[in-house]
Amino acid sequence: ALGATFFQLFSGGQQVMEVLEDILAEPSMEMGMAEGYDRLDHMSKKAQRTSPSSTVSSVEPLKSLGLPIALCDLISNMVDCASKGGVTDDESYEVVKDVRDDLKLMMDSPEIYLRDLDLTHASNVDLQMESIGCKDGRTSLYGRESELEMLKESYQRSISSGCEVAMIYGSSGIGKSTLSNNFAEYVTAGRAGSGGSGVFLSGCFDKLQQLQPFQAISSAFDEYCTWLTATDERKLERVSTELKKDLGDEIASLVTAMPNLRGILGNDFVCHKTVEDGDVAVDAQKRLRYLFCQFVEIILGCQEEPLILFLDDCQWIDAASVALLNQILMIPNKSAFNKQRRFFFFGCCRDDELNEEHPLTLMLSSLETFETKTTNIMLTSMSKETVNEMVSTTLCLLPRLTRPLADILYHKTKGSP
C-alpha cells in the first residue's frame, strides 16, 4: 500500500495497478495473472543483474518525469514486495523502518544518494573513487570524527593560552594523512572559530634523506616564504626589515636552506659573509639551528594569523631535526610571546617504529618539563559500519545495498583504509 501511495504521489495521480496491468497484458491479452507476475518478477531480476540502479518497468513513468533513480528504486522495491505477495529478494524492503531510513538519507544527503551515477560506465572506464564520492573538493573522512575533534581542540588551546602539541600515531595506511588533510582544510578555510584562517606549513621526513639535517623543517618554512611573498606587502617589508636587522649577513646560511627566503629579502640583498676555514659540520649545524630559531621567533612576532607546522613520517626524524624542533617548540613559551603566541605543531608517526629510546619519544617527554602538553591521537582500523559508509558514499548507493560488498572489503582489509 505504501509503495502504491508513493507511486501515485510522484507520478501525478497514476495508479500503479494500471501500469502493472498494461505490462501484464503486453505479451497476450489471455495471459493469466500468475504468469504475468512471473514475467514481471523475471524482468525485475534481469534488470537487477544488468545494473544495480535498474528498476522494473512499473517505475518507467517516474523515470520519464526525471525523478532520481534511487527514488525510483525505492518505490519499485516496495511495489515488488506487494506484487509478489510479501516474498522479497535481497533489495526489497521487509520493514517500514528500512524505508524511513533510506528516505532520511536521501533528504539529508541528496548530493550523494539522489545522484544518478552510471556504475556500468564507471566500471568500463575504470572506477575512480576520488571522482565520484565527494563533489565539493573536500577530503572525505570516515570514522575519524572524534579524532579530528581532539585535534581541533588541541589547536584551539595551543593558539589561545596553552602550550600544546599533538601527535597522530598509527600503522602505515591507517589514515593519518587523511586526518591531517582534513585538519588542514579546517584551519586554512577560516572554519577554526576564533583562530581565524591559519597558515599551514608541512614537511615530510624521508628515510633515505636522514643525512640531510633539517630538510623537512626547512622545506616547511620555505613554504612560508612563498606564502609571504604572495600576501601583504607591508607584512613582507616588516619581516624583511626584522630579519636583516637581527641576523645580518648570517642570514645567508638560511637562504641556502630556504631558497625562497631570497624573495622576502629582496633583489638588493647582498651577502658579505664567507665561511671560515675553521668551521666544522657540528658548529655549522649549531649555527644554522640558532638562525632557524631566530627566524621563527621573528615571523611569530610579525604574524597575526595562526601558524601551523605539520611534519609527517616523524619516525624517520634525524637527531639534528629533533634538536631544532625542540628549540622551536620552546620559542612560544618565552614571556615576550605568551600574549601573542599563535603557533601549533602536530606530527604523524608510525607507532610500530617507535620505542622509548627513539629521539622523538625522548623529546616529547622532555616537553612536559616545560609545561608543554602533548595530545596523543591513536588511529586504529575502521569498523565494519564505517567501511560500509565509505563504500556507500563513494558509490552513491544506499548503505542497505552496499552492505554485502562492504562485508567482503572488511574481511579482506580488516578495516584498514
Side-chain angles (χ1 to χ4, degrees):
L2 183 58
T5 302
F6 271 51
F7 185 95
Q8 185 176 6
L9 176 65
F10 287 104
S11 65
Q14 191 171 8
Q15 296 291 333
V16 64
M17 288 308 299
E18 295 176 1
V19 179
L20 289 175
E21 289 172 0
D22 290 341
I23 296 174
L24 297 173
E26 186 178 306
S28 171
M29 294 298 292
E30 285 77 25
M31 177 180 286
M33 184 65 73
E35 293 180 72
Y37 278 128
D38 288 341
R39 179 177 179 273
L40 186 58
D41 181 53
H42 174 72
M43 292 170 58
S44 174
K45 290 181 178 179
K46 180 180 179 181
Q48 290 171 13
R49 288 195 300 268
T50 304
S51 170
S53 62
S54 297
T55 60
V56 296
S57 300
S58 60
V59 294
E60 287 302 324
L62 301 183
K63 287 184 177 181
S64 64
L65 294 175
L67 292 182
I69 293 177
L71 186 58
C72 293
D73 284 342
L74 181 144
I75 298 172
S76 172
N77 288 339
M78 288 192 290
V79 171
D80 287 347
C81 290
S83 65
K84 289 181 282 187
V87 179
T88 62
D89 57 25
D90 292 338
E91 291 190 8
S92 297
Y93 293 101
E94 296 184 1
V95 293
V96 176
K97 179 182 178 297
D98 293 340
V99 179
R100 183 197 63 188
D101 291 345
D102 284 358
L103 285 173
K104 189 175 187 306
L105 285 172
M106 293 179 188
M107 293 174 61
D108 293 344
S109 304
E111 73 283 358
I112 297 176
Y113 297 111
L114 290 182
R115 182 182 176 190
D116 289 343
L117 180 66
D118 188 347
L119 291 180
T120 302
H121 172 73
S123 63
N124 290 336
V125 299
D126 193 8
L127 187 62
Q128 300 294 321
M129 292 296 189
E130 66 274 8
S131 66
I132 62 176
C134 193
K135 294 188 68 176
D136 59 2
R138 294 171 55 190
T139 304
S140 299
L141 187 69
Y142 301 99
R144 309 298 189 199
E145 291 79 10
S146 61
E147 289 84 356
L148 179 59
E149 194 60 33
M150 288 177 60
L151 196 55
K152 291 178 181 179
E153 291 173 356
S154 177
Y155 166 72
Q156 291 293 349
R157 289 191 296 266
S158 182
I159 66 171
S160 56
S161 58
C163 299
E164 190 165 338
V165 300
M167 289 298 300
I168 304 172
Y169 297 98
S171 59
S172 176
I174 203 65
K176 301 185 296 295
S177 297
T178 301
L179 177 60
S180 302
N181 292 338
N182 268 267
F183 177 72
E185 293 170 0
Y186 166 77
V187 296
T188 57
R191 301 196 303 272
S194 60
S197 179
V199 181
F200 189 87
L201 311 178
S202 64
C204 182
F205 292 101
D206 192 324
K207 189 175 183 179
L208 302 179
Q209 294 182 344
Q210 291 183 317
L211 297 179
Q212 301 181 22
F214 316 137
Q215 189 274 333
I217 299 177
S218 61
S219 173
F221 283 105
D222 200 39
E223 287 183 15
Y224 175 84
C225 298
T226 303
W227 172 84
L228 187 59
T229 55
T231 55
D232 190 354
E233 191 171 332
R234 293 178 59 184
K235 184 187 300 182
L236 174 66
E237 183 63 30
R238 182 183 174 189
V239 172
S240 177
T241 301
E242 293 294 327
L243 288 173
K244 292 175 182 177
K245 181 179 71 174
D246 291 0
L247 301 184
D249 289 339
E250 293 279 355
I251 203 171
S253 299
L254 283 181
V255 173
T256 302
M258 298 182 293
N260 289 321
L261 178 58
R262 187 174 293 276
I264 295 178
L265 301 175
N267 296 328
D268 58 342
F269 173 73
V270 179
C271 175
H272 302 288
K273 171 74 176 177
T274 57
V275 179
E276 298 178 3
D277 294 337
D279 285 350
V280 295
V282 174
D283 292 335
Q285 279 191 16
K286 289 182 178 179
R287 184 174 69 250
L288 187 57
R289 197 166 67 218
Y290 166 78
L291 293 173
F292 257 116
C293 291
Q294 290 295 103
F295 172 78
V296 174
E297 193 167 337
I298 289 171
I299 64 176
L300 281 179
C302 300
Q303 186 74 21
E304 296 176 357
E305 301 89 345
L307 191 66
I308 301 96
L309 173 63
F310 166 63
L311 297 177
D312 201 1
D313 285 330
C314 288
Q315 71 275 0
W316 293 323
I317 189 171
D318 56 276
S321 294
V322 168
L324 173 57
L325 180 60
N326 185 62
Q327 287 186 255
I328 290 176
L329 296 178
M330 291 298 103
I331 292 175
N333 287 331
K334 295 182 179 181
S335 58
F337 287 88
N338 276 341
K339 293 183 180 180
Q340 61 187 40
R341 101 180 279 274
R342 299 173 68 78
F343 177 76
F344 179 63
F345 164 75
F346 78 104
C348 285
C349 189
R350 298 180 186 177
D351 61 314
D352 53 0
E353 297 192 30
L354 288 184
N355 55 48
E356 294 181 355
E357 301 301 321
H358 194 282
L360 179 66
T361 305
L362 297 175
M363 185 208 74
L364 293 174
S365 298
S366 68
L367 291 178
E368 298 179 1
T369 308
F370 299 93
E371 299 182 350
T372 297
K373 178 183 177 183
T374 301
T375 296
N376 296 316
I377 301 173
M378 179 65 69
L379 298 186
T380 57
S381 299
M382 297 189 302
S383 66
K384 188 180 294 188
E385 286 302 315
T386 301
V387 173
N388 189 36
E389 178 191 355
M390 180 177 67
V391 175
S392 171
T393 56
T394 300
L395 299 181
C396 300
L397 292 173
L398 294 165
R400 180 177 57 84
L401 303 178
T402 59
R403 191 165 288 111
L405 174 59
D407 289 345
I408 295 174
L409 293 176
Y410 181 82
H411 176 73
K412 290 183 174 293
T413 64
K414 306 303 180 184
S416 176

